[in-house]
């Protein structure tokens, strides 16, 4: 996935905002909370996203994926796809979608209603889908 593709994909979610910060990183937020970041690692784009506990444990073992610098070191369940083979574009999109769902599920019901964000789906991280 390219940085342009990442930004285009993140822009498809309801009530998002985009800022460039932290040394030219593209930071995507929903309701003021970060759900995806495209920054850099060794001169290449790196994609960072929030995960659930099981996904965090499983995906961090894949070559090209690691606990996200700074975020994971503070006990947060964030991963970073930083080099090949890592995640396929489809897998990365799925993880960004899940990250959006996890972040927006943490917003108050009132805040989600104000922003027009759908209610979270029951069943945890496996059922998160921005299209529903």
């Amino acid at each position: 996935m390219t940085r342009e593709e990442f930004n285009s994909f993140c822009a498809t979610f309801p009530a998002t905002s985009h800022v460039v910060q932290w040394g030219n990183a593209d930071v995507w937020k929903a309701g003021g909370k970060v759900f995806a970041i495209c920054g850099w690692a060794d001169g290449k784009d790196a994609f960072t996203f929030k995960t659930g506990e099981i996904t965090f444990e499983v995906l961090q073992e894949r070559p090209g994926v690691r606990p996200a610098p700074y975020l994971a070191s503070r006990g947060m369940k964030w991963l970073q796809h930083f080099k090949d083979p890592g995640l396929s574009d489809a897998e990365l999109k799925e993880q960004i979608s899940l990250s959006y769902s996890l972040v927006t599920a943490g917003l108050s019901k009132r805040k989600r209603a104000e922003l027009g964000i759908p209610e979270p789906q029951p069943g945890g991280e496996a059922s998160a889908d921005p299209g529903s």
Side-chain angles (χ1 to χ4, degrees):
M1 176 180 291
T2 67
R3 186 177 284 241
E4 286 179 5
E5 291 167 334
F6 168 82
N7 285 327
S8 293
F9 181 69
C10 290
T12 65
F13 295 96
T16 59
S17 61
H18 170 253
V19 295
V20 177
Q21 59 190 71
W22 304 322
N24 201 34
D26 288 297
V27 180
W28 284 89
K29 300 178 182 185
K33 306 285 185 186
V34 175
F35 73 92
I37 303 166
C38 179
W40 60 98
D42 300 324
K44 295 181 133 187
D45 288 336
F47 305 96
T48 303
F49 49 89
K50 184 174 184 165
T51 69
E53 276 192 48
I54 294 170
T55 301
F56 183 82
E57 295 302 323
V58 171
L59 288 184
Q60 71 175 315
E61 300 298 323
R62 289 187 62 183
V65 179
R66 65 183 173 196
Y70 308 110
L71 297 167
S73 66
R74 289 166 173 72
M76 295 182 246
K77 303 297 184 200
W78 285 73
L79 291 172
Q80 184 179 74
H81 162 89
F82 69 104
K83 69 178 183 179
D84 291 334
L87 303 173
S88 69
D89 286 358
E91 290 171 316
L92 186 54
K93 284 181 176 182
E94 179 182 5
Q95 292 308 312
I96 292 168
S97 297
L98 291 170
S99 181
Y100 175 86
S101 295
L102 287 167
V103 168
T104 57
L107 298 173
S108 69
K109 186 173 187 172
R110 181 175 156 187
K111 183 75 167 176
R112 283 192 306 273
E114 283 175 17
L115 297 171
I117 296 172
E119 286 294 313
Q121 298 295 311
E125 69 185 68
S127 67
D129 179 0
S132 55

